[in-house]
Amino acid sequence: MPASVFQQTLQGPAIFAGVGVHTGAYTRVSVRPAPVNSGIVFVRTDVLDRDNRVPVSGDAVTKTQLGTVIENAAGVSVSTIEHLMAALVMLNIDNATVELDGPEMPIMDGSSLPFVQVLDRAGRRGQDAPRRYIEILDVIEYVDGDKRATLSPSDRFEVAFEIAFASTAIGRQRVDLAMDEQAFRRELADCRTFGFLHEVEYLRSIGLARGGSMENAVVIEGDRILNPEGLRRPDEFVRHKALDAIGDLYVLGAPILGRFEGVLAGHGVNNMLVRALMANPQAWRYRTLVQDLAEAV
């Protein structure tokens, strides 16, 4: 059973900066406290001629090719939000305003760990409103060929993921974890994004991956890992996919009480699962643990 009964925000601003993995643009970010029930809202401070607030929601996701992109009705977008979103949900931060002066979140070291560290420094404070969980009541699945993502009932948040690559540097990997704040810190937060050298070279040729480097990704060529320091964990690849999925699910606006399973899935399949859940209101309900405590007394 999750321990967090009431909503939380930050005690003060969490400030950091870095380059975007695709734009290569240097962006400054300030994650600030926000009132109860406001959720996570991104604000593009560099946009002054139209609505620059981009609230997070499943419907706001417009692109998923190389990361999760959200956009508002005015066409203002923020890309590569998933690593910060994973840190926010697993640190039990319900309400925050994320101000940034560019179109893409900094990639930092390619994991959620730098975000966890800056959020820790800012501190958290409780708020006088119950946290709402999304309790999964029935199985929801999205299948695209050999790719699959599923949400099913569980009394806790669980994440399972499986990947398979021809490269022997990766091969077939699977992880299956009961997930709370401490498990996220211990098992997933430091696991970095990854890519193949030929893909990076192609992306650069079409104007993407301008900020990508071995400082912020694990790079593979054939069956070799090119990073001099090697891997942080033997199965860092699948663990990063699990991290991505956690961030992609938090566009729903509340933490999940349920089990997520991904097989060969990515941001696109994750978001299609989110949309399938939203389209099936009988498969889930909002639940607060305040109700559980009241019934237990």
Side-chain angles (χ1 to χ4, degrees):
M1 183 63 69
S4 304
V5 175
F6 292 97
Q7 293 179 30
Q8 290 192 124
T9 189
L10 298 172
Q11 281 190 341
I15 297 170
F16 55 95
V19 298
V21 68
H22 295 302
T23 61
Y26 186 81
T27 302
R28 292 166 296 189
V29 183
S30 177
V31 186
R32 298 183 176 276
V36 296
N37 299 323
S38 54
I40 310 300
V41 180
F42 287 79
V43 179
R44 286 276 306 276
T45 59
D46 58 318
V47 175
L48 303 174
D49 61 340
R50 54 200 154 133
D51 180 13
N52 64 356
R53 292 172 57 82
V54 190
V56 172
S57 72
D59 290 329
V61 176
T62 54
K63 294 178 185 174
T64 53
Q65 183 188 3
L66 298 165
T68 297
V69 180
I70 56 172
E71 189 173 313
N72 68 11
V76 176
S77 67
V78 181
S79 62
T80 322
I81 65 168
E82 58 272 12
H83 301 165
L84 174 64
M85 292 296 289
L88 289 170
V89 68
M90 294 316 305
L91 267 61
N92 299 304
I93 296 171
D94 305 272
N95 305 302
T97 302
V98 184
E99 298 177 353
L100 70 164
D101 64 358
E104 184 181 20
M105 281 293 297
I107 191 64
M108 309 304 280
D109 75 346
S111 79
S112 286
L113 184 59
F115 302 124
V116 169
Q117 291 168 338
V118 296
L119 293 170
D120 280 346
R121 285 198 290 273
R124 292 169 282 179
R125 63 177 171 85
Q127 296 177 289
D128 191 18
R131 165 171 295 139
R132 289 197 310 178
Y133 290 85
I134 291 173
E135 182 181 16
I136 306 301
L137 303 175
D138 201 358
V139 176
I140 292 288
E141 185 171 59
Y142 178 79
V143 179
D144 177 11
D146 59 354
K147 304 181 179 81
R148 175 169 56 82
T150 311
L151 282 166
S152 54
S154 175
D155 62 0
R156 61 185 183 178
F157 183 38
E158 299 175 356
V159 176
F161 217 101
E162 184 175 337
I163 60 173
F165 286 83
S167 168
T168 58
I170 306 176
R172 183 172 290 274
Q173 299 182 357
R174 180 174 171 80
V175 68
D176 194 331
L177 298 164
M179 191 50 48
D180 59 16
E181 179 180 344
Q182 294 311 313
F184 181 74
R185 291 175 181 271
R186 184 177 65 247
E187 305 285 353
L188 298 183
D190 67 342
C191 296
R192 297 161 294 174
T193 193
F194 61 94
F196 289 87
L197 183 62
H198 68 272
E199 293 175 346
V200 174
E201 290 170 345
Y202 168 72
L203 290 171
R204 284 192 177 148
S205 76
I206 60 171
L208 295 170
R210 292 173 179 167
S213 73
M214 284 186 281
E215 300 294 315
N216 53 43
V218 178
V219 181
I220 304 135
E221 183 181 24
D223 295 324
R224 288 191 310 133
I225 292 162
L226 299 184
N227 302 59
E229 76 281 7
L231 296 175
R232 293 176 175 175
R233 299 161 185 267
D235 58 352
E236 184 171 2
F237 304 104
V238 73
R239 287 173 184 266
H240 181 78
K241 286 292 206 174
L243 183 160
D244 275 346
I246 290 169
D248 287 343
L249 290 173
Y250 198 33
V251 300
L252 286 162
I256 286 175
L257 275 179
R259 176 177 173 82
F260 170 86
E261 293 186 53
V263 177
L264 313 182
H267 301 297
V269 171
N270 294 343
N271 188 248
M272 293 306 293
L273 179 67
V274 163
R275 291 174 184 270
L277 185 72
M278 293 190 300
N280 286 273
Q282 77 284 355
W284 61 279
R285 66 177 178 180
Y286 285 118
R287 175 174 159 191
T288 70
L289 302 189
V290 171
Q291 294 167 331
D292 296 359
L293 290 174
E295 290 167 4
V297 171

